[in-house]
Amino acid sequence: MPVWLIALIAGDAVAADPLADAEARFRTLESYRVTLRSWAADGHRQVIRYAWRRPGWVRMDFVEPHRGAVMIYDPVTGRVRLSPFGLKHMTLNLAADNPVICDPRGHSVDRSHVGALLADLAELRIHGSLALHADAEVASRRTLVVEIEGAAGISVAGVHRCRIWFAQDTSFPMKVQSYGTHGKLIETVDMSDAELDIAFPERFFTP
């Protein structure tokens, strides 16, 4: 078989399962940082400077709404430190699933990372299908566009269909659109400025 044909077949095999590629890449990821921008269909908007480090540390610095608020999740204790007015002010110690700090869709801080998103997408795919769409650019970077849809009446975490833009060079999701069972858009999330495997300051997650 000609070398060019072998390369073509191998390339198609890699491109055929971008979700599996993204899951594999996340398992090797030590940390990431991103400006998370989300727009819900009901008009709710969030801008959060989001940081994650293995084995599950999360820090969220809020820009919009609640500007100045900081949440830090400790995977060892399973607790969240919430500083509504910044780290130099009052701090609350809460359970990760406390309704006060869950987002409007009920998502908890400990499952706010990309790994949890990919796990939900994999579960939805098991009960549905995955389709590849034409490549596109997000923030001047080439992406693979994937759509995952559950079978009739099937949803995971309230999502029946999801369109994801995976960066071709890192397999990181740069943009996500989620839809409900009636085809209505639930939310659009932009993560196009993600930085992977970065070194955070020593006490960034434990100030």
Side-chain angles (χ1 to χ4, degrees):
M1 182 181 294
V3 174
W4 66 266
L5 184 55
I6 294 174
L8 179 61
I9 293 173
D12 286 345
V14 171
D17 201 344
L19 178 57
D21 291 345
E23 290 182 291
R25 176 67 180 93
F26 184 80
R27 286 193 291 270
T28 70
L29 198 63
E30 289 299 320
S31 64
Y32 72 89
R33 176 172 58 197
V34 65
T35 304
L36 193 156
R37 298 177 173 87
S38 65
W39 301 267
D42 62 6
H44 182 76
R45 172 182 166 86
Q46 284 188 317
V47 180
I48 301 169
R49 295 190 182 97
Y50 185 98
W52 176 89
R53 186 178 69 192
R54 200 168 295 282
W57 290 95
V58 173
R59 174 167 169 165
M60 303 169 71
D61 290 78
F62 286 78
V63 178
E64 183 183 340
H66 316 304
R67 186 176 185 86
V70 180
M71 282 201 301
I72 297 178
Y73 171 68
D74 181 342
V76 177
T77 65
R79 306 287 292 183
V80 175
R81 291 180 57 194
L82 169 62
S83 301
F85 309 106
L87 293 175
K88 295 182 179 180
H89 300 278
M90 174 188 68
T91 297
L92 305 174
N93 189 302
L94 305 170
D97 60 354
N98 189 306
V100 172
I101 54 175
C102 290
D103 73 10
R105 293 172 54 199
H107 295 155
S108 57
V109 180
D110 58 322
R111 284 188 52 80
S112 60
H113 55 83
V114 162
L117 167 67
L118 296 176
D120 286 348
L121 292 175
E123 183 178 351
L124 186 63
R125 178 188 184 180
I126 290 172
H127 303 288
S129 60
L130 180 149
L132 298 176
H133 291 263
D135 296 353
E137 284 194 359
V138 174
S140 300
R141 293 176 63 183
R142 298 299 301 170
T143 66
L144 293 170
V145 186
V146 176
E147 188 161 289
I148 299 172
E149 184 172 4
I154 297 294
S155 62
V156 174
V159 175
H160 172 68
R161 178 167 61 91
C162 197
R163 180 169 289 195
I164 315 99
W165 287 253
F166 289 108
Q168 291 190 11
D169 55 346
T170 64
S171 294
F172 194 88
M174 300 186 68
K175 182 179 176 181
V176 181
Q177 288 183 332
S178 54
Y179 298 81
T181 53
H182 299 294
K184 287 188 176 181
L185 177 66
I186 299 172
E187 183 181 44
T188 299
V189 178
D190 181 283
M191 298 183 285
S192 57
D193 68 349
E195 301 171 84
L196 309 185
D197 287 322
I198 61 173
F200 291 103
E202 182 179 354
R203 296 188 61 82
F204 185 75
F205 294 95
T206 57

